[in-house]
């Protein structure tokens, strides 16, 4: 029996394919398989183990899109299991947008820009960052429990500290089946849209805001970004406050954040598609932004966390020398993989996936 | 603007919601269009316009033009041929 025949024997004729169009759709995959339940995922992993064939789980494909493996598309595992007052439990293939629609008076607070299409499993695997990251952190902060099938084919439930063995590891230790996510109260914040004619003035205000206990989020938009959003040719900060401190309330505050949510796409329409996520020391921010401004590179990001995202066009000369420039400013590019993560994944792999069949090449 | 293949159109596409496969997605059609490749997959679209509405980049995934190209090259589905004949002969795509 060939591999594809074996896969079809597990999931049924129409749920496994090596047809050319399916392989193209999944980024030059060797084959694609669409499991419907935990038992099928277990059998797929056991088959891959026996055959020594790498497999990569995939959610909605809005982050990870390319893998020259057998792709395990989790889209058919799309049931919301429980919606309770303070948590929701859902299968990996459920879209965040579908979860949002079920919640009343509560929210899942991490809302990435891809919220309309991203899946719960994908968000956990990538430890996705949302739009108000300073207040809510990454997805992992809100994960209570994960059920997964590891590289040994064992179905596990991870909780507490053990969640570090799956969150953000891009499927390297296991295929996420379902997760229990904590919810937050849907609290309305007041906001302020602050305009700055100089970056020095912005930096001074930023220092002040960092010491303000009522501040929940600080988001930066440079001149180009602000101008494209219709805010005028000046740098801006959107500041979220607990309580009534902000001038923008209700719909007005929402409008400012909605505009910010659109920013990556508005920039994309101008061919600025290559965003770098940088962790910047606060003292370097002004000098760095001045440099970007000279090269007309737009930049935005949750500056309250010290994170900035310059965005480049493919033909940008600046993009070719970023590594050198970032070193000058002690800016760390937030990569999927770095030596520390690789070491940690290697240790975890020895336990969860000793044959290294899962997400091979993502880290090791 | 050509499709940047971000996939944000997928969540609301009725074809993707029905079959739950990337192959059915507007992104796949955008990918084929970017590859200048004509394929019958262009018929796998409800023409509801949702992908145009949802695309945050206002990208052009011209499904009807893709179909037009297929027809010009003699590639048609038997069912669409039947529908054209029905319209000609009975004034209704469904012969009723």
């Amino acid at each position: 029996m060939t591999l594809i025949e074996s896969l079809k024997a597990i999931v049924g004729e129409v749920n496994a394919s090596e047809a050319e169009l399916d392989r193209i759709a999944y980024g030059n995959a060797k084959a694609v398989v669409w499991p419907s339940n935990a038992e099928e995922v277990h059998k797929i992993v056991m088959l891959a183990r026996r055959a020594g064939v790498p497999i990569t789980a995939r959610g909605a494909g809005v982050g990870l899109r390319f893998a020259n493996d057998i792709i395990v598309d989790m889209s058919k595992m799309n049931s919301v299991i429980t919606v309770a007052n303070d948590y929701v439990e859902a299968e990996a293939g459920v879209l965040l947008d579908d979860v949002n629609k079920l919640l009343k008076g509560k929210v899942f607070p991490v809302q990435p820009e891809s919220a309309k299409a991203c899946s719960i499993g994908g968000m956990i695997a990538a430890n996705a960052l949302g739009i108000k990251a300073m207040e809510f952190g990454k997805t992992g902060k809100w994960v209570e429990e994960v059920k997964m099938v590891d590289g040994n084919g064992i179905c596990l439930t991870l909780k507490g500290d053990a969640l570090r063995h799956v969150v953000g590891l891009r499927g390297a230790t296991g295929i996420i089946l379902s997760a229990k996510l904590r919810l937050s109260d849907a609290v309305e914040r007041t906001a302020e849209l602050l305009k700055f004619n100089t970056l020095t003035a912005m930096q001074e205000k930023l220092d002040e805001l960092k010491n303000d206990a009522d501040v929940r989020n600080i988001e930066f938009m440079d001149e180009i970004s602000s101008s494209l959003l219709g805010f005028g040719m000046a740098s801006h900060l959107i500041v979220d406050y607990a309580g009534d401190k902000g001038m923008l309330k209700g719909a007005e505050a929402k409008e400012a954040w909605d505009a910010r949510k659109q920013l990556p796409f508005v920039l994309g329409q101008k061919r600025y598609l290559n965003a770098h996520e940088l962790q910047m020391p606060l003292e370097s921010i002004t000098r760095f932004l001045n440099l970007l401004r000279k090269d007309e590179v737009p930049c935005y990001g949750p500056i309250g966390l010290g994170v900035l995202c310059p965005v480049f066009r493919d033909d940008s000369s600046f993009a070719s020398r970023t590594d050198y420039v970032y070193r000058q400013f002690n800016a760390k590019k937030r990569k999927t993989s770095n030596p520390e993560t690789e070491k940690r994944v290697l240790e975890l792999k020895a336990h969860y996936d000793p044959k290294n069949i899962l997400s091979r090449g993502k880290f090791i | 603007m050509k499709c940047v293949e971000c996939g944000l159109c997928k969540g609301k596409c009725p074809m993707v919601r029905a079959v739950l496969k990337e192959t059915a997605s507007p992104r796949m059609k955008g990918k084929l269009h970017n590859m200048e490749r004509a394929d019958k997959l262009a018929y796998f679209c409800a023409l509801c316009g949702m992908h145009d509405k949802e695309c945050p980049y206002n990208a052009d995934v011209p499904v009807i033009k893709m179909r037009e190209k297929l027809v010009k090259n003699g590639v048609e589905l038997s069912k669409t041929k039947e529908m054209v004949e029905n319209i000609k002969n009975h004034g209704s795509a469904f012969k009723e």
Side-chain angles (χ1 to χ4, degrees), chain B residues 6 10 17 21 23 26-27 36 41 44 61 63 76 96:
Chain B
C6 66
K10 283 176 57 185
R17 302 293 296 206
K21 291 182 178 179
T23 322
R27 168 163 61 181
E36 294 181 8
L41 205 60
F44 209 85
V61 180
V63 178
E76 265 183 280
E96 286 170 10

Side-chain angles (χ1 to χ4, degrees), chain A residues 14 20-22 24-26 34 58 60-62 65 75-76 78 95 97-98 114 116-117 264-265 268-269 273, chain B residues 1 4-8 10-12 17 19-23 27-28 31-32 35 37 39 41 54 56-58:
Chain A
V14 297
E20 190 201 4
L21 285 177
D22 286 323
I24 292 173
Y26 286 85
W34 294 270
R58 173 174 149 140
V62 292
R65 273 178 270 167
S75 300
K76 295 199 173 190
N78 62 349
L95 303 186
D97 201 34
D98 291 342
S114 59
K116 283 199 291 189
F265 311 119
Q269 287 170 19
L273 287 160
Chain B
M1 183 175 175
V4 300
E5 301 175 22
C6 66
L8 297 184
K10 283 176 57 185
K12 296 239 167 66
R17 302 293 296 206
V19 300
L20 300 169
K21 291 182 178 179
E22 176 71 38
T23 322
R27 168 163 61 181
M28 177 57 177
K31 193 179 277 192
L32 290 175
M35 292 162 75
R37 184 171 161 171
D39 191 277
L41 205 60
E54 286 296 302
Y57 297 106
N58 295 326

Side-chain angles (χ1 to χ4, degrees), chain B residues 5-93:
Chain B
E5 301 175 22
C6 66
L8 297 184
C9 51
K10 283 176 57 185
K12 296 239 167 66
C13 169
M15 305 305 275
V16 178
R17 302 293 296 206
V19 300
L20 300 169
K21 291 182 178 179
E22 176 71 38
T23 322
S25 68
R27 168 163 61 181
M28 177 57 177
K29 290 168 191 81
K31 193 179 277 192
L32 290 175
H33 185 62
N34 292 347
M35 292 162 75
E36 294 181 8
R37 184 171 161 171
D39 191 277
K40 280 184 180 176
L41 205 60
Y43 286 104
F44 209 85
C45 174
L47 300 180
C48 65
M50 193 54 87
H51 70 261
D52 287 331
K53 196 177 156 212
E54 286 296 302
C55 176
Y57 297 106
N58 295 326
D60 187 26
V61 180
V63 178
I64 293 178
K65 276 188 188 160
M66 290 164 82
R67 288 187 186 180
E68 200 178 302
K69 200 171 163 185
L70 285 169
V71 172
K72 276 183 186 159
N73 292 329
V75 184
E76 265 183 280
L77 303 179
S78 58
K79 290 287 177 196
T80 54
K81 276 185 187 168
E82 199 182 316
M83 285 167 86
V84 172
E85 285 307 309
N86 286 343
I87 291 168
K88 279 183 189 165
N89 299 328
H90 304 280
S92 157

Side-chain angles (χ1 to χ4, degrees), chain A residues 20-214:
Chain A
E20 190 201 4
L21 285 177
D22 286 323
R23 290 193 286 111
I24 292 173
Y26 286 85
N28 298 323
K30 275 198 175 66
V32 190
V33 59
W34 294 270
S36 299
N37 53 54
E39 194 186 341
E40 288 180 358
V41 176
H42 159 77
K43 285 179 179 171
I44 292 163
V45 171
M46 293 310 284
L47 174 67
R49 242 178 93 84
R50 278 198 305 276
V53 180
I55 55 176
T56 296
R58 173 174 149 140
V62 292
L64 165 73
R65 273 178 270 167
F66 309 103
N68 191 21
D69 297 345
I70 291 174
I71 299 293
V72 183
D73 183 345
M74 301 302 284
S75 300
K76 295 199 173 190
M77 292 187 64
N78 62 349
S79 299
V80 176
I81 302 162
T82 318
V83 182
N85 188 37
D86 55 352
Y87 74 90
V88 60
E89 190 174 4
E91 286 188 312
V94 171
L95 303 186
L96 176 61
D97 201 34
D98 291 342
V99 171
N100 287 338
K101 283 176 196 156
L102 295 171
L103 305 176
K104 304 248 179 335
K106 293 275 179 176
V107 289
F108 183 67
V110 181
Q111 296 289 323
E113 283 138 1
S114 59
K116 283 199 291 189
C118 66
S119 69
I120 297 298
M123 285 181 74
I124 296 169
N127 199 11
L129 202 65
I131 192 96
K132 294 188 176 183
M134 188 174 158
E135 180 171 12
F136 299 116
K138 292 184 173 183
T139 302
K141 188 176 166 188
W142 299 87
V143 178
E144 189 87 22
E145 185 182 297
V146 169
K147 287 194 173 72
M148 72 173 195
V149 172
D150 73 2
N152 299 306
I154 300 168
C155 191
L156 300 163
T157 301
L158 304 181
K159 292 178 188 180
D161 267 0
L163 287 168
R164 290 175 58 248
H165 300 175
V166 62
V167 174
L169 297 184
R170 297 189 179 255
T173 51
I175 296 180
I176 298 169
L177 301 171
S178 64
K180 196 188 262 191
L181 307 170
R182 283 191 297 118
L183 301 173
S184 155
D185 289 324
V187 181
E188 214 170 71
R189 298 269 179 245
T190 59
E192 200 86 74
L193 183 64
L194 304 171
K195 181 179 174 179
F196 299 95
N197 291 321
T198 66
L199 287 170
T200 314
M202 193 272 292
Q203 177 85 56
E204 280 169 13
K205 185 68 182 174
L206 191 60
D207 292 340
E208 184 190 318
L209 291 168
K210 291 282 279 181
N211 294 317
D212 186 334
D214 292 328

Side-chain angles (χ1 to χ4, degrees), chain A residues 192-199 202 219-238 255-256 259-264 266-267 270 272 289 293 297-301 309 311:
Chain A
E192 200 86 74
L193 183 64
L194 304 171
K195 181 179 174 179
F196 299 95
N197 291 321
T198 66
L199 287 170
M202 193 272 292
E219 187 77 19
F220 169 75
M221 295 175 294
D222 78 332
E223 290 174 355
I224 301 172
S225 307
S226 300
S227 160
L228 286 172
L229 292 178
F231 294 144
M233 197 66 181
S235 298
H236 284 78
L237 293 177
I238 308 180
E255 206 176 302
R260 160 59 192 88
K261 270 189 205 167
Q262 286 304 311
L263 182 56
V266 174
L267 287 168
K270 302 286 176 193
Y272 291 103
L289 289 173
R293 184 156 65 175
V297 176
C299 184
Y300 64 91
C309 304
V311 196

